[in-house]
Amino acid sequence: MQEQYRTVAHAGVHETEINRSRFLCALAPAATEQEAQDFVARVRREHPTASHNCYAYVVGADAGIQKASDDGEPGGTAGVPMLQMLMRREVRYAVAVVTRYYGGVKLGAGGLIRAYGGVVGEALDTLGTITRQRFRLATVTVDHQRAGKLENDLRATGRSVREVRYAEAVTIEIGLPDADVDAFRGWLADATAGTAAFELGGEAYGDV
């Protein structure tokens, strides 16, 4: 699995004009391919009179799903450079739709490639990206007496506390980088005088 990846901070639109053509790049995070396709369909509905609504998306931390469409532009001049920009920036779980309103001046193949790739790069710069890091999920179980201090200590040391559940004992779910697991076991034993139970779970990604 990838140790980390970048994704779009939030959905938004960046607009630029090149030789009288308007280029609007709509970017959004997309957790699944279906989410990406739904976003493309929504943008197309919003711009039914546009000359082109080209798109590219990458789903999966390992970029397992990649799709691109030129939507009527000459082959390889729109969707592919958009996809290449997402990949070059290591952006995953994201979808980009570039809507073009033709302004009467032909850009040529090279101009189109620069325009479509460039507007995606500008949109990423404008809207911002966030980095997500791979974590091991782990569960700490501790008695009520120690739970409050332990939770505070976890947060104070920068640990990722994902969920706290209160029952007969208190269960705290945390995220740990793989490299920290052994050191954390020692820290936890010291912090709770050896009374806390520690169980490793699966893997997930969280914000850095």
Side-chain angles (χ1 to χ4, degrees):
M1 287 177 75
Q2 290 278 111
E3 281 303 311
Q4 63 180 33
Y5 65 87
R6 291 192 187 93
T7 193
V8 183
H10 56 84
V13 180
H14 171 74
E15 180 173 348
T16 191
E17 186 175 309
I18 301 169
N19 285 358
R20 299 213 300 267
S21 280
R22 286 175 64 209
F23 289 85
L24 294 85
C25 179
L27 276 179
T32 64
E33 185 170 16
Q34 187 61 56
E35 269 188 36
Q37 290 171 348
D38 290 347
F39 182 76
V40 172
R42 188 160 74 248
V43 173
R44 282 184 163 158
R45 284 196 300 272
E46 288 170 6
H47 298 280
T49 62
S51 312
H52 308 278
N53 284 295
C54 308
Y55 69 80
Y57 57 78
V58 182
V59 177
D62 58 354
I65 299 173
Q66 302 176 30
K67 292 280 172 65
S69 166
D70 297 313
D71 192 39
E73 292 281 28
T77 63
V80 169
M82 291 167 62
L83 182 62
Q84 287 172 339
M85 181 61 70
L86 293 175
M87 294 296 294
R88 194 155 72 234
R89 297 286 192 94
E90 297 181 344
V91 174
R92 307 289 187 263
Y93 291 106
V95 54
V97 184
V98 175
T99 300
R100 181 188 184 193
Y101 286 92
Y102 182 58
V105 178
K106 289 191 186 312
L107 298 181
L112 289 171
I113 290 168
R114 285 190 297 276
Y116 278 99
V119 72
V120 172
E122 289 174 17
L124 289 169
D125 291 339
T126 302
L127 297 172
T129 57
I130 52 175
T131 301
R132 296 177 72 80
Q133 177 79 35
R134 184 164 67 90
F135 289 103
R136 284 299 295 273
L137 297 176
T139 304
V140 175
T141 306
V142 68
D143 59 47
H144 284 264
Q145 190 179 342
R146 298 179 193 272
K149 181 176 187 310
L150 180 61
E151 185 183 344
N152 288 340
D153 288 349
L154 286 167
R155 294 185 190 280
T157 55
R159 309 290 182 187
S160 169
V161 176
R162 300 169 69 89
E163 191 178 354
V164 182
R165 293 187 295 276
Y166 294 88
E168 286 182 24
V170 180
T171 305
I172 304 172
E173 187 180 282
I174 60 172
L176 290 171
D178 267 343
D180 286 1
V181 170
D182 289 340
F184 180 79
R185 285 182 195 273
W187 177 89
L188 182 65
D190 290 344
T192 64
T195 61
F198 177 73
E199 186 180 338
L200 273 180
E203 296 182 327
Y205 286 89
D207 295 346
V208 174

